[in-house]
């Protein structure tokens, strides 16, 4: 566990995962505008889509969930938002992705027997990178 400001400023971040799906929101904003231009009779629907996307982009809070580097993963799930957990890839025994009703969990089992749990909202956002850095260590299915 370290403070965020103690992270190496020159680290190579391969993927940074956020809470907000920014790309999807921008696509919705563009689709709403396109709907208004292409089908003027759909003006109320287009404006509604655009307003919802703008509200999510501008007003709703966003935060980092985790970042992937070639040497380690950084988890930003600590109670104190200025803290983070750095886990080196060689310290991970296994991992699994648990689908939950509200928030999913990315669960890492470490060599010292502890478990680190990271809130997650999309398996697709992390699967490629976890499999790239720790291949063959996924545990399929839910664990109790």
């Amino acid at each position: 566990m370290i403070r965020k400001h103690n992270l190496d400023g020159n680290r190579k971040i391969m993927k940074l995962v956020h809470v907000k799906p920014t790309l999807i929101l921008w696509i919705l904003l563009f689709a709403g505008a396109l709907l208004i231009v292409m089908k003027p009779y759909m003006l109320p629907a287009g404006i509604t889509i655009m307003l919802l996307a703008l509200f999510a982009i501008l007003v709703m809070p966003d935060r980092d969930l985790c970042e992937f580097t070639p040497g380690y993963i950084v988890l930003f799930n600590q109670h104190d938002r200025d803290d983070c957990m750095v886990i080196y890839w060689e310290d991970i025994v296994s991992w699994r992705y648990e689908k939950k009703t509200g928030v999913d969990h990315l669960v890492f089992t470490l060599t010292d027997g502890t478990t680190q749990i990271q809130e997650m909202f999309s398996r697709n956002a992390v699967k490629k990178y976890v499999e790239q850095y720790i291949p063959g260590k996924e545990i399929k299915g839910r664990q109790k």
Side-chain angles (χ1 to χ4, degrees):
M1 176 106 68
I2 64 170
R3 305 292 279 177
K4 283 184 186 178
H5 66 269
N6 289 332
L7 286 171
D8 179 12
N10 297 322
R11 69 190 180 280
K12 184 177 181 184
I13 300 172
M14 304 306 287
K15 172 76 172 174
L16 180 60
V17 180
H18 297 275
V19 170
K20 224 189 293 192
T22 310
L23 178 63
I24 293 171
L25 294 172
W26 281 105
I27 290 171
L28 281 174
L29 184 65
F30 179 73
L34 197 62
L35 190 62
I36 291 170
V37 172
M38 301 293 285
K39 308 278 187 187
Y41 62 89
M42 297 290 288
L43 181 71
I47 289 175
T48 302
I49 291 169
M50 289 179 66
L51 288 175
L52 286 172
L54 276 173
F55 174 78
I57 291 168
L58 300 174
V59 177
M60 293 182 71
D62 193 15
R63 66 181 171 89
D64 297 339
L65 291 175
C66 63
E67 68 184 26
F68 294 87
T69 71
Y72 52 86
I73 184 171
V74 181
L75 305 179
F76 299 104
N77 63 338
Q78 305 307 311
H79 182 66
D80 182 350
R81 294 291 181 202
D82 290 329
D83 291 340
C84 60
M85 174 68 73
V86 174
I87 303 173
Y88 291 92
W89 297 118
E90 60 268 11
D91 293 337
I92 298 175
V93 174
S94 64
W95 70 278
R96 67 184 180 274
Y97 191 89
E98 296 179 348
K99 296 279 284 171
K100 304 280 185 174
T101 304
V103 176
D104 298 344
H105 290 149
L106 180 60
V107 182
F108 294 104
T109 304
L110 307 179
T111 54
D112 65 1
T114 62
T115 301
Q116 289 296 319
I117 300 172
Q118 174 64 51
E119 294 178 348
M120 205 51 64
F121 296 95
S122 170
R123 178 182 175 89
N124 295 334
V126 296
K127 184 176 182 192
K128 172 186 169 188
Y129 293 94
V130 176
E131 288 180 346
Q132 176 182 341
Y133 293 116
I134 48 173
K137 293 189 176 184
E138 180 180 10
I139 297 174
K140 303 281 186 184
R142 277 192 186 185
Q143 299 290 318
K144 299 286 181 187

